[in-house]
Amino acid sequence: MARSWYAYNGIGDPIVSASYNLMLDKPNANCVNGCAICAIFATGTGITPTVLSNNIRTYINNLLANQVSQPNGVITIKRYVYGKTGC
């Protein structure tokens, strides 16, 4: 399935797909690590993600707990959840 970048709207539940809006570009350098969700790379191509998989939900929770983009680990691994500062 196709994936797209989605920005968190900042007001909804971060594990509900309706809380995200389609981004036209990839997140910039200010959107990597931090205490709040910035963007996710999730299944879908519409205005909101089709579904937030169990993995994406786990990555969201891990980012909120650790303030590091997810999945965290090997530097070459694809990140699906990004954070931002200013909390």
Side-chain angles (χ1 to χ4, degrees):
M1 296 187 94
R3 291 182 178 268
S4 300
W5 282 105
Y6 293 90
Y8 176 55
N9 67 16
I11 54 173
D13 185 338
I15 60 169
V16 173
S17 62
S19 298
Y20 293 89
N21 299 309
L22 182 65
M23 296 175 66
L24 299 177
D25 294 317
K26 293 180 180 179
N28 65 30
N30 294 323
C31 180
V32 179
N33 298 316
C35 54
I37 302 296
C38 181
I40 61 172
F41 192 58
T43 303
T45 58
I47 300 298
T48 61
T50 305
V51 66
L52 296 184
S53 69
N54 287 335
N55 283 344
I56 292 287
R57 290 173 189 232
T58 298
Y59 299 154
I60 289 168
N61 289 328
N62 288 344
L63 178 125
L64 292 172
N66 301 317
Q67 300 181 13
V68 177
S69 60
Q70 297 293 318
N72 189 19
V74 179
I75 199 159
T76 57
I77 198 165
K78 173 70 175 167
R79 308 298 168 128
Y80 290 92
V81 177
Y82 287 84
K84 63 182 176 180
T85 59
C87 302

